[in-house]
Amino acid sequence: MSEEYNFAYLNEQTKRMIRRAILKGLAVPGYQVPFASREMPMPYGWGTGGVQVSAAVMTEGDCFKVIDQGADDTTNAVSIRSFFERTAGVATTTHTGEATVIQTRHRIPEEPLKEGQILVYQVPIPEPLRFLEPRESETRKMHSLEEYGLMHVKLYEDISRHGHISTAYAYPVSVEGRYVMDPSPIPKFDNPKLGDCPAIQLFGAGREQRIYALPPYTQVVSLDFEDHPFEASKADHACALCGAEDSYLDEVIVDDAGGRIFVCSDTDFCARRQEAGHAGKDAA
Amino acid sequence: MSDQALLSVRGITKRYGAHIGCAEVSFDLYPGEAMGIVGESGSGKSTLLNCMAGHVAPDAGQVIFDTAVDGPRDTLQMSEPERRMLARTDWAFVHQHARDGLRMGVSAGGNVGERLMAVGARNYGEIRASAAGWLGRVEIDTDRIDDRPSTFSGGMQQRLQIARNLVTGPRLVFMDEPTGGLDVSVQARLLDLLRSLVRDMRLSAIIVTHDLAVVRLLADRLTVMKSGHVVESGLTDQVLDDPQHAYTQLLVSSILQV
């Protein structure tokens, strides 16, 4: 651990301020708590909100995992993981089951989370109503008065234009029948995992300076119409490497001749299955 | 007409500092009745309308509305959620500029359906059918249900705004210069449409305008305002044909007789 930094980079007062916002967020599930987001040594859009939340909840005994679109080995995941190795000296892992704090960009791990784990989401735009109502003063009023008709207008527009609800990620959810929340740009395949989850789920938006949270076992319902119900969709294939049929898949172009394969977006899940002897059609 | 007033306005006063917006305005509006408020620019008619519709808080007075559930209630004493609920169920507000009252980035069908969804409609097929029905009633081709209002002409936008407001079957419509900025032939069509809607739905309406032809066609009663005060009120034909107050006489005589 480097001597120059306080534990987990942020100073104690800042972490205290962030923890207060997190506690408030947990007390009012789905409510966006404003907080004094700090400048972090990374650009906005790279997870400044998630990093601050991770730093605030991290203790020395934690085991930390970072996933970027499901993968443990991309630039964003590797750099954030090494950031906390340097500044906090915590143990890191790629195994979902071993981690106590998991920072994620746009995915929920396939392996079911358990009590005692904290899932930290990086959120680009926390306001689900933003593209429908540009005024912040008005969206706050709509949240406080529970006026969410507009959210269905967006879904209505989807159906009228495409014949089905085409929103595939950042699919709006209603939390405990009160606040409508943007679950960050996770694929809607992951939406059912938000509800009734044993782990604590924290959402940090650094540029927009908002934190919100889902305490364990919270009721989370994806918005829909009676005659166009919510559907958690995925590519209709099995993983080419591990053969899993129930995991979320990435489409990967493999040559210049239009060849493509579908592989698990969750690299840890896929590797574990391959270790256990499962193989897909393209397994080496 | 029933004996119970739908809307009773009592002593509405709004000041902008030392300047008077409107002062001590009182009247009753009965179900099915359309009332016009006329006056020159700055006479306080829009201030009065915004005070009644809850967009602006008046300094004094009461706006008592005969709510469907609880009977007569002072809307100014209601909590904001209650008042906003009222504003999207029993009330409607037609803006002078259609783009103030429409969502320009949302299709015509979505615009009409928004109020339905805001009061809890969650069946896409029913919402769409209802939106299509209303587009028909305001003479917009149903084929254009998925077009955005930005591709509509001014008159169509105004008709769309009216459809969007009337879809939840309100009992009271506030109109702020509904024909302002439209050319005369479009105005005539819009007025014709409004008149038939008001008659068919037994709507009560408060129409603020400076165009006397509009009130002549639409309003049963007329209130003339000047410098924030009501100077004359009565039946529309009576006020226009036999104006008593000097200002009303001036107003009536200012119209070009073509």
Side-chain angles (χ1 to χ4, degrees), chain B residues 15-20:
Chain B
R15 286 190 190 81
Y16 298 108
H19 178 75
I20 292 172

Side-chain angles (χ1 to χ4, degrees), chain A residues 43-62:
Chain A
Y44 287 125
W46 282 58
T48 51
V51 162
Q52 289 177 75
V53 171
S54 293
V57 297
M58 197 174 281
T59 60
E60 280 173 19
D62 271 321

Side-chain angles (χ1 to χ4, degrees), chain A:
Chain A
M1 179 178 166
S2 157
E3 290 293 314
E4 296 90 326
Y5 292 111
N6 186 39
F7 177 74
Y9 186 76
L10 294 173
N11 63 40
E12 292 304 312
Q13 286 82 356
T14 300
K15 286 197 268 184
R16 186 157 175 258
M17 174 272 293
I18 295 172
R19 286 175 195 141
R20 288 171 69 111
I22 292 172
L23 288 174
K24 185 169 179 182
L26 286 166
V28 192
Y31 172 71
Q32 298 168 47
V33 186
F35 79 111
S37 176
R38 300 293 194 245
E39 294 269 345
M40 296 303 284
M42 56 169 68
Y44 287 125
W46 282 58
T48 51
V51 162
Q52 289 177 75
V53 171
S54 293
V57 297
M58 197 174 281
T59 60
E60 280 173 19
D62 271 321
C63 186
F64 189 58
K65 168 182 162 82
V66 189
I67 46 181
D68 174 5
Q69 306 266 25
D72 290 279
D73 53 4
T74 61
T75 315
N76 198 200
V78 170
S79 61
I80 292 175
R81 196 160 58 227
S82 66
F83 174 77
F84 281 114
E85 278 168 7
R86 272 186 62 198
T87 59
V90 291
T92 56
T93 181
T94 59
H95 297 330
T96 303
E98 290 169 14
T100 52
V101 178
I102 305 171
Q103 182 171 332
T104 175
R105 174 168 175 269
H106 314 348
R107 266 318 302 281
I108 298 175
E110 302 290 351
E111 185 179 327
L113 299 173
K114 49 185 193 275
E115 283 184 24
Q117 288 184 312
I118 300 176
L119 187 60
V120 178
Y121 295 79
Q122 302 173 194
V123 183
I125 296 166
E127 178 52 71
L129 302 162
R130 176 57 68 238
F131 292 109
L132 302 155
E133 175 52 69
R135 290 166 294 180
E136 175 70 16
S137 56
E138 187 64 18
T139 54
R140 282 200 206 182
K141 190 169 273 179
M142 290 160 87
H143 280 295
S144 62
L145 299 180
E146 225 176 313
E147 284 183 5
Y148 291 130
L150 200 51
M151 208 70 248
H152 274 87
V153 173
K154 177 180 160 32
L155 302 179
Y156 170 94
E157 290 286 287
D158 267 4
I159 303 173
S160 71
R161 216 169 291 159
H162 306 288
H164 59 97
I165 298 178
S166 57
T167 302
Y169 62 93
Y171 193 102
V173 294
S174 168
V175 179
E176 290 285 335
R178 178 60 184 86
Y179 285 98
V180 164
M181 185 186 94
D182 181 343
S184 86
I186 59 171
K188 66 178 171 183
F189 174 82
D190 283 341
N191 267 24
K193 299 181 207 163
L194 290 163
D196 211 26
C197 175
I200 296 174
Q201 299 173 82
L202 305 174
F203 298 78
R207 180 182 47 210
E208 303 288 325
Q209 315 204 320
R210 294 288 184 278
I211 284 173
Y212 50 104
L214 295 173
Y217 305 109
T218 302
Q219 184 206 58
V220 179
V221 178
S222 303
L223 301 180
D224 60 2
F225 285 104
E226 289 161 7
D227 43 353
H228 286 267
F230 170 80
E231 217 175 315
S233 60
K234 67 182 270 288
D236 191 18
H237 292 271
C239 173
L241 300 178
C242 77
E245 290 178 352
D246 55 353
S247 70
Y248 190 74
L249 302 173
D250 285 339
E251 186 177 359
V252 182
I253 308 288
V254 289
D255 55 32
D256 289 344
R260 53 197 188 151
I261 57 170
F262 289 88
V263 294
C264 288
S265 127
D266 186 336
T267 52
D268 173 55
F269 175 77
C270 197
R272 286 305 182 98
R273 276 178 56 87
Q274 289 177 63
E275 278 167 27
H278 297 279
K281 63 180 173 62
D282 289 335

Side-chain angles (χ1 to χ4, degrees), chain B residues 34-38 205-209 215 219-224 236:
Chain B
M35 198 181 87
I37 302 174
V38 294
I206 296 179
I207 304 145
V208 161
T209 182
V215 286
D220 305 310
R221 280 198 298 143
L222 191 59
T223 295
V224 183
T236 304

